[in-house]
Amino acid sequence: MNIVTYPAEILREKAEPIEEINDDICRTADEMLELMYESEGIGLAAPQIGWSKRLIVIDVKDELGDEKVFINPALVNQEGTFLSDEGCLSFPDITGKVMRSETVEVVAFNLKGEKLKIKAGGLLGVVFQHEIDHLNGVLFIDKMTPGSSLANAKKLKEFERIYKRVQAL
Ligand code: CO
């Protein structure tokens, strides 16, 4: 399992809902968590491993108890605005400022099939918004402030150039 980097097409696809939680899903979620920890990330969405399903893993220190896997997550309420500093495992070396909601309410299922309703703000709220965006093919570069977009434009072009060259091999 590897992390898919920008501008791979799968990162722009709308991911499919998970219909049934089986052993395969549980195993993949475990592997995603491992990969996230190895990569020193705090969130990872299934499309980032090349799997177009609505599943995300999140571990923001101490915030969610044992819940780290969220299936078919949806934002059901968003309030306020919050300017966050973000990075993304699919964009090595890129960080930027993104306008987010200050607090969100998320509905999702865990691996036991239990329905969760989570109210999250600050960093955790941002991670939920960032990862759920991935499931809709939306990337943090789409929502960056104009200043951050400008600051990263050259690096992004370079990613696109390298990708095209690799595709052409
Ligand atoms: Co990301």
Side-chain angles (χ1 to χ4, degrees):
M1 187 185 279
N2 287 306
I3 291 177
V4 171
T5 53
Y6 177 82
E9 284 86 358
I10 194 163
L11 295 175
R12 287 301 189 186
E13 285 172 19
K14 192 174 161 76
E16 296 286 330
I18 288 177
E19 312 276 358
E20 188 203 356
I21 300 165
N22 54 33
D23 288 352
D24 265 357
I25 305 267
C26 294
R27 204 174 315 122
T28 307
D30 271 350
E31 286 176 24
M32 281 176 65
L33 273 169
E34 248 175 69
L35 183 60
M36 181 186 80
Y37 291 131
E38 273 171 25
S39 315
E40 294 177 6
I42 52 178
L44 186 66
Q48 292 181 277
I49 58 146
W51 190 43
S52 199
K53 291 282 181 186
R54 302 189 82 79
L55 184 149
I56 59 178
V57 296
I58 292 178
D59 192 353
V60 175
K61 233 180 178 233
D62 297 335
E63 285 237 40
L64 288 164
D66 287 335
E67 303 291 357
K68 296 184 171 71
V69 179
F70 304 91
I71 294 168
N72 300 339
L75 294 173
V76 292
N77 196 25
Q78 295 173 260
E79 273 174 41
T81 54
F82 181 80
L83 190 61
S84 68
D85 271 307
E86 294 180 30
C88 178
L89 293 176
S90 293
F91 291 80
D93 292 333
I94 288 194
T95 57
K97 292 198 183 304
V98 182
M99 195 58 88
R100 297 290 188 185
S101 299
E102 191 176 20
T103 59
V104 294
E105 263 179 72
V106 179
V107 172
F109 293 88
N110 64 16
L111 286 174
K112 291 180 207 150
E114 296 162 342
K115 192 172 184 176
L116 310 171
K117 192 163 189 180
I118 299 148
K119 202 163 182 175
L123 181 60
L124 181 62
V126 166
V127 178
F128 269 115
Q129 292 172 76
H130 180 117
E131 302 310 333
I132 291 173
D133 270 353
H134 271 299
L135 305 182
N136 295 318
V138 175
L139 301 172
F140 82 137
I141 53 168
D142 305 339
K143 296 184 167 178
M144 267 186 194
T145 60
S148 288
S149 288
L150 203 59
N152 285 305
K154 216 172 155 185
K155 277 188 192 163
L156 290 174
K157 275 268 178 298
E158 183 65 7
F159 281 157
E160 288 160 17
R161 207 174 57 82
I162 291 167
Y163 186 73
K164 268 196 203 134
R165 221 162 54 189
V166 171
Q167 294 296 95
L169 283 179

